[in-house]
Amino acid sequence: MAPQDGKPYDWNLGRSGRQYPEDFSSNDPDLNESDSDPFGFVETEIVRRRGRGWIGFGIFLVIVITGAVVLDNVARGYVGGLIEAKARSSLALPDSTPVTVTVGGTSVLYQAATGKFERVDVAIAKLGVGDLSGKAILTVTGVPLRQSKPIESARVAVVISEDELKKLLAGFTTLPVTSVKIASGAVQIGTTVTALGVAVPVMIAFVPSAVDGQLALSPKSLVVNGATVTPAGLRATFGALADPVLATQKICVAKYLPKQLPLDSVTVKGSSLELAVAGKAVTLSSALLTNKGVCA
């Protein structure tokens, strides 16, 4: 192309394909911002690729985490199955008895790597304890992979009904038990007090507790002929005849419970009574639950 005004152009090829003279100005209205940066598209492409890289890494991370969670859940279920089988064989539980095992704590795989499980809960729908039976919950913490090593702590709670409690009281209390009811946070026992040859029906509300490994029942109120009286009022009326009724009843339950795990607590739960035993640094084996204590 021929020069204009006798001055040749020094042609520069921009990204847009336009041609500009040497003395072009950045303020030229015909020149937009993208035309002034011929390498802007390179930076844009780098940003786009970097963004796609982070997205890809995020997807990869999600896949890894999901896989780890799935694998850990599989391991948790496998360990739970082994514990359930051990519980059934140790306690001679029939296949029809529901048993639920929960392995708590952090990752099971991590716990296995450390050689110890943080916490294991075993719920048994119905467990026979001597002549009694009820729902049982076994909770153990610090469970080593090797059964020869002691666990940190163990707690067994057995929940018994009113009928089961009546069986227990019939053989140990000094009172003639006519009825048993569990309500309002107390154990209500129906009995009779004989005064001047007359048998007076009495309903006693006892507060249950664990004392020296025994089930203790301390009277808190009484109902005599439909009237509520205090222990002091009953003693004022019947004198020494009321002593057997007002005395704290202690019932040895050792023969029903594991020898290494003495009675730790007694709690009223609705219409049921929970007897819990606990111990530390005990060896978790079949002998732990099958060897019972002895009542003197």
Side-chain angles (χ1 to χ4, degrees):
M1 183 178 291
Q4 299 177 5
D5 300 332
K7 296 181 180 180
Y9 278 109
D10 183 8
W11 299 103
N12 294 309
L13 183 61
R15 178 166 54 89
S16 63
R18 296 181 181 180
Q19 296 174 335
Y20 303 100
E22 183 179 5
D23 59 345
F24 77 92
S25 172
S26 59
N27 296 322
D28 190 339
D30 294 332
L31 182 62
N32 58 37
E33 183 178 356
S34 61
D35 292 331
S36 64
D37 183 10
F39 298 102
F41 77 99
V42 177
E43 296 180 1
T44 302
E45 184 64 20
I46 292 176
V47 171
R48 288 177 180 175
R49 292 185 179 182
R50 185 176 299 168
R52 288 195 295 267
W54 280 111
I55 294 175
F57 178 75
I59 295 174
F60 171 75
L61 190 61
V62 170
I63 293 175
V64 170
I65 293 175
T66 303
V69 171
V70 171
L71 183 60
D72 191 72
N73 287 336
V74 171
R76 195 178 296 271
Y78 177 74
V79 172
L82 294 178
I83 295 175
E84 178 184 345
K86 183 64 177 179
R88 288 186 181 279
S89 61
S90 300
L91 300 174
L93 299 175
D95 294 337
S96 59
T97 300
V99 176
T100 302
V101 178
T102 303
V103 182
T106 55
S107 167
V108 170
L109 296 176
Y110 173 77
Q111 293 182 63
T114 62
K116 181 182 296 185
F117 294 108
E118 296 177 19
R119 172 171 174 160
V120 176
D121 294 278
V122 181
I124 305 173
K126 187 176 182 180
L127 176 66
V129 184
D131 298 331
L132 308 177
S133 64
K135 178 182 178 181
I137 300 176
L138 168 64
T139 301
V140 290
T141 61
V143 187
L145 294 181
R146 295 183 180 180
Q147 293 187 12
S148 58
K149 293 184 177 181
I151 61 178
E152 291 180 1
S153 66
R155 185 177 187 270
V156 183
V158 180
V159 181
I160 61 176
S161 64
E162 295 173 345
D163 292 336
E164 297 298 316
L165 179 59
K166 188 174 182 178
K167 294 179 185 178
L168 181 63
L169 297 176
F172 292 98
T173 61
T174 58
L175 299 173
V177 179
T178 58
S179 66
V180 175
K181 184 178 181 180
I182 304 174
S184 302
V187 175
Q188 302 175 6
I189 299 177
T191 186
T192 57
V193 176
T194 303
L196 301 176
V198 179
V200 180
V202 179
M203 177 68 74
I204 312 171
F206 291 94
V207 177
S209 61
V211 178
D212 297 329
Q214 298 185 77
L215 170 60
L217 300 175
S218 303
K220 73 170 186 176
S221 63
L222 306 92
V223 177
V224 182
N225 286 333
T228 301
V229 297
T230 63
L234 187 67
R235 181 172 281 107
T237 303
F238 293 97
L241 295 176
D243 288 345
V245 176
L246 300 177
T248 296
Q249 305 292 319
K250 290 187 177 181
I251 303 146
C252 180
V253 294
K255 73 174 187 177
Y256 297 108
L257 304 175
K259 185 177 182 179
Q260 298 183 58
L261 304 176
L263 187 65
D264 180 68
S265 66
V266 182
T267 308
V268 175
K269 292 193 171 183
S271 59
S272 302
L273 190 67
E274 180 188 87
L275 305 176
V277 299
K280 295 183 178 181
V282 296
T283 302
L284 189 61
S285 63
S286 58
L288 173 65
L289 300 178
T290 55
N291 291 346
K292 303 297 190 299
V294 178
C295 291

